[in-house]
Amino acid sequence: MGKRIVGWKLDRGQRAELLARFPPAYPDPLADHVTLARSEAEPLPAPPRRAELIARADDGEGVECFVARLDGTTNRPGGGIYHITWSLDRTKGRQARESNGVLRERGWTDLPEPIPIRLEPAAWES
């Protein structure tokens, strides 16, 4: 059994639109969620009043993600940056959790303008 994660799932219809607009750089698209915390006890968060994609990062070695700004901040309360892992190359052993390191170590490139996104509170197992 995996670890419980709470956060927000990207609206399925919008996910399809965004994947068409920003084709994944790597063979394994995710484009699924924004993590708040890994916790058995954390309650579901409230839906953000405003959520948007503001930047993109790609380490050139199999991890691509977008930075998310929720209600005016990119900073996750427990540390890290709100993001959506966009795509991976799992044949190289890459994992979604590596997006945190890519953002921390390499930074990101701002998008020309923020893209509003629709997120719904959710919990799932990793």
Side-chain angles (χ1 to χ4, degrees):
M1 184 172 201
K3 180 83 172 172
R4 180 176 179 266
I5 300 173
V6 295
W8 303 270
K9 290 280 189 169
L10 182 61
D11 175 84
R12 298 293 91 181
Q14 188 177 33
R15 177 184 184 270
E17 293 167 10
L18 289 169
L19 283 168
R21 183 173 175 183
F22 300 103
Y26 302 105
D28 302 299
L30 276 69
D32 182 63
H33 68 271
V34 176
T35 298
L36 173 61
R38 294 178 182 271
S39 170
E40 295 300 321
E42 184 82 25
L44 286 182
R49 291 180 307 279
R50 182 176 180 149
E52 52 199 357
L53 299 179
I54 63 162
R56 181 182 173 274
D58 183 342
D59 70 358
E61 299 172 10
V63 176
E64 172 191 26
C65 60
F66 281 88
V67 175
R69 182 167 54 203
L70 307 183
D71 295 332
T73 187
T74 59
N75 296 321
R76 213 164 46 194
I81 302 295
Y82 286 128
H83 65 275
I84 297 176
T85 300
W86 207 247
S87 69
L88 300 171
D89 188 341
R90 289 190 170 126
T91 66
K92 295 181 179 179
R94 304 309 298 269
Q95 298 179 10
R97 68 174 176 244
E98 293 180 75
S99 292
N100 294 298
V102 170
L103 293 168
R104 182 177 53 253
E105 295 163 15
R106 298 181 182 238
W108 56 78
T109 302
D110 291 339
L111 297 175
E113 60 185 51
I115 300 168
I117 55 174
R118 297 183 302 275
L119 299 173
E120 291 296 323
W124 61 94
E125 298 289 322
S126 66

